[in-house]
Amino acid sequence: MKHLRLGVNIDHVATIRNARGGAHPDPLRAAKIAEAAGADGLTAHLREDRRHIGDGDMTRLMAELTIPLNFEMAATDEMLAIALAHKPHASCLVPEKREERTTEGGLDVAGGQETLRHYVESLKAADILVSLFVEADPKQLEAAARLGADIVELHVGAYCDTTDSIKRQSELVRIQRAAALAEEMGIECHAGHGLTYDTVGPIAAISQFTELNIGHFLIGEAIFVGLEKTIHEMRRRMDDARRAAA
Ligand code: PXP
């Protein structure tokens, strides 16, 4: 049974801080609590508009974290320079539109292969693992393999967000097939976006996944019961689902 890593996305601690300016609540403090609560890694997305973490957060996270940072970034020269300066454990290339509320879909690797190649190769040359955030679509996975990505992170938002049980089941099947294809192609497979206590079980049960990256739900739930407790409960649900499926 492969260990399923939990990556905690702390962006929304910074979103709350930024609503008022100032220093509170501090995403680094959240990162340290997550680390102590058993998170295997941290995720943070430095957006072009700095709506959640900022450049100073990135410096502090890199200086003080002892677990790996998965740095989410758009494929731009500005972000590439920041990644190369900090050398996080991994960089996850994501599509980014200024007007979107969150990352709405996967990266079009198949359509943008030539543009992406420079970013993938530059990151890999600096020994940063490259992850591509893609839809569970064979065409995107094949393009990711051709580019030499180390990891694909499957966007599971459509599965998580629907309230239609038939659609949820068909999305789950699509995700299962994509995860199996990634394994066949020898690419490590992660999942993220929209996962909650209610949706994590069937995703954690997919044996090919080695990491789930979860943010919004954990930070929201932490308001009521605290971050440590929330992470423990998510971890328990992930482990139970994986054990039951083994
Ligand atoms: N993985 C990626 C690549 C993302 O862009 C996000 C959202 O920023 C997440 C995981 C976490 O998604 P959520 O905040 O919905 O749990």
Side-chain angles (χ1 to χ4, degrees):
M1 196 168 82
K2 274 187 208 154
H3 174 65
L4 181 58
R5 296 158 43 84
L6 171 60
V8 174
N9 181 321
I10 42 106
D11 284 338
H12 295 302
V13 178
T15 312
I16 298 171
R17 176 196 61 193
N18 299 351
R20 278 289 172 100
H24 183 79
D26 182 1
L28 178 61
R29 183 171 166 201
K32 288 191 169 168
I33 292 171
E35 197 174 340
D40 300 284
L42 266 295
T43 291
H45 183 179
L46 185 67
R47 293 185 77 104
E48 183 195 15
D49 63 8
R50 310 302 197 261
R51 81 172 73 144
H52 0 90
I53 68 152
D55 301 71
D57 295 320
M58 185 65 190
T59 305
R60 291 162 68 233
L61 286 168
M62 286 305 300
E64 297 203 33
L65 280 185
T66 57
I67 53 176
L69 179 69
N70 175 39
F71 176 55
E72 279 185 34
M73 56 176 265
T76 63
D77 290 345
E78 182 199 13
M79 290 303 148
L80 177 61
I82 293 170
L84 295 179
H86 288 289
K87 295 207 178 192
H89 170 77
S91 277
C92 180
L93 296 179
V94 299
E96 191 174 305
K97 289 192 222 107
R98 211 166 240 270
E99 64 279 12
E100 71 191 353
R101 261 196 256 174
T102 178
T103 315
E104 281 163 3
L107 197 61
D108 183 12
V109 186
Q113 217 169 302
E114 284 323 305
T115 321
L116 289 170
R117 186 179 303 281
H118 161 66
Y119 297 98
V120 172
E121 288 179 355
S122 305
L123 292 163
K124 284 182 65 133
D127 283 332
I128 300 168
L129 291 174
V130 177
S131 171
L132 300 178
F133 189 44
V134 294
E135 295 295 329
D137 172 352
K139 182 168 78 176
Q140 299 297 346
L141 268 68
E142 282 151 13
R146 281 196 298 275
L147 272 183
D150 302 289
I151 302 159
V152 283
E153 179 169 331
L154 302 185
H155 191 309
V156 296
Y159 153 81
C160 290
D161 295 343
T162 186
T163 49
D164 176 338
S165 60
I166 295 174
K167 172 142 197 277
R168 180 165 285 173
Q169 188 52 33
S170 71
E171 283 297 328
L172 187 60
V173 170
R174 198 163 74 93
I175 293 163
Q176 286 164 336
R177 289 191 180 137
L181 178 62
E183 184 174 57
E184 266 172 45
M185 295 188 309
I187 303 187
E188 186 172 337
C189 198
H190 299 175
H193 206 96
L195 289 164
T196 65
Y197 287 161
D198 291 338
T199 54
V200 77
I203 296 295
I206 299 173
S207 65
Q208 291 89 358
F209 284 134
T210 54
E211 180 172 303
L212 305 184
N213 289 310
I214 311 180
H216 183 265
F217 177 82
L218 292 175
I219 303 305
E221 192 62 14
I223 293 170
F224 304 108
V225 299
L227 189 53
E228 185 187 11
K229 226 170 160 183
T230 306
I231 289 172
H232 285 160
E233 178 60 15
M234 187 60 85
R235 178 81 263 169
R236 185 188 68 73
R237 287 178 188 240
M238 285 164 57
D239 291 344
D240 285 356
R242 180 132 300 195
R243 224 177 286 114

